[in-house]
Amino acid sequence: MKENVAGASGHPASVGPPPAPGADRYLALDLANSDLVFPGGQELDLLGSPASAKEWLVARELAPPDSRLYNVCAGRLRALRDVVRTLLSSRIADLPAPAASVQAINDALTSAPSAALLYWDEDRGPYRAQAHPIDQIVNHAIAILAADAADLITGPDAERLAPCGATPCRRLLIRTHASRQWCSTRCGDRVRAARAYARRTQAKVRTD
């Protein structure tokens, strides 16, 4: 079951595990890991609602605290997350990325207007103005995240990208050393505990 992130007051709550290795340096990796799954199948989408998406952006200084997001804004962020995960997964597998995903990143890179746009209506006639503030906020964030994804995919750290080896975790990480397999101590402890339990069970079966 997937849940939106919200506290008892209706405001988004800061929850979830600590950032995976590398997510503190790459916002795109942090974005890719914003859809969490826990043992037992519980899922938590940090971008699942406008309120939680705003908190995610504000915490990463991609939006001002007084900004307001709508469902379409959160939806655009989730769509970009899917694209980034596809590209990172393709890079990990050393396979060509889908052309549509590459195009989506390139579109996102140019999503933030750098100049006032032209408008024309019956009352005011032709005039120039910046895009709607809400659109500007989301477009700006999306452009930054897309640029960060492109930098990660084409940079040297891409060689150390890896999926977390703990089931059912689906987070990605940048290996800090060759033997690194887990995105967090929590995941590593869980796998080690499961292996120890399996060894004890097998030993008991052999002695029975």
Side-chain angles (χ1 to χ4, degrees):
M1 179 177 66
K2 183 173 289 189
E3 298 180 358
N4 293 337
V5 184
S9 64
H11 296 292
S14 297
V15 294
D24 57 337
R25 294 186 289 118
Y26 291 99
L27 289 170
L29 184 58
D30 203 16
L31 175 70
N33 290 339
S34 62
D35 190 14
L36 307 168
V37 60
F38 301 99
Q42 185 181 14
E43 298 183 27
L44 189 62
D45 189 348
L46 300 180
L47 306 177
S49 70
S52 61
K54 171 191 168 181
E55 180 176 289
W56 193 90
L57 291 175
V58 170
R60 289 150 184 83
E61 299 182 348
L62 292 174
D66 60 349
S67 59
R68 183 178 180 184
L69 268 66
Y70 296 98
N71 282 321
V72 65
C73 303
R76 290 181 64 198
L77 288 170
R78 292 193 298 271
L80 179 64
R81 177 180 63 199
D82 292 343
V83 168
V84 170
R85 280 198 65 91
T86 296
L87 293 173
L88 294 181
S89 297
S90 295
R91 187 66 176 83
I92 290 170
D94 196 23
L95 294 172
S101 296
V102 175
Q103 184 60 53
I105 285 293
N106 287 332
D107 290 343
L109 285 169
T110 58
S111 64
S114 59
L117 304 180
L118 174 65
Y119 296 87
W120 200 317
D121 60 47
E122 294 181 0
D123 296 330
R124 296 183 58 181
Y127 65 97
R128 294 185 68 186
Q130 293 291 341
H132 191 282
I134 293 176
D135 290 340
Q136 278 192 325
I137 290 170
V138 175
N139 286 346
H140 180 69
I142 283 176
I144 290 176
L145 291 165
D148 193 69
D151 287 342
L152 173 55
I153 291 166
T154 59
D157 285 332
E159 298 294 335
R160 297 187 288 120
L161 278 168
C164 179
T167 303
C169 182
R170 57 188 173 212
R171 296 207 300 174
L172 306 176
L173 65 138
I174 295 177
R175 294 184 190 274
T176 53
H177 49 79
S179 60
R180 178 95 195 209
Q181 301 180 57
W182 329 118
C183 73
S184 66
T185 301
R186 181 187 306 178
C187 278
D189 289 345
R190 189 171 71 250
V191 172
R192 283 188 286 267
R195 289 174 177 173
Y197 175 79
R199 286 195 296 269
R200 290 195 301 270
T201 301
Q202 291 171 0
K204 183 178 178 180
V205 170
R206 287 194 295 268
T207 58
D208 286 346

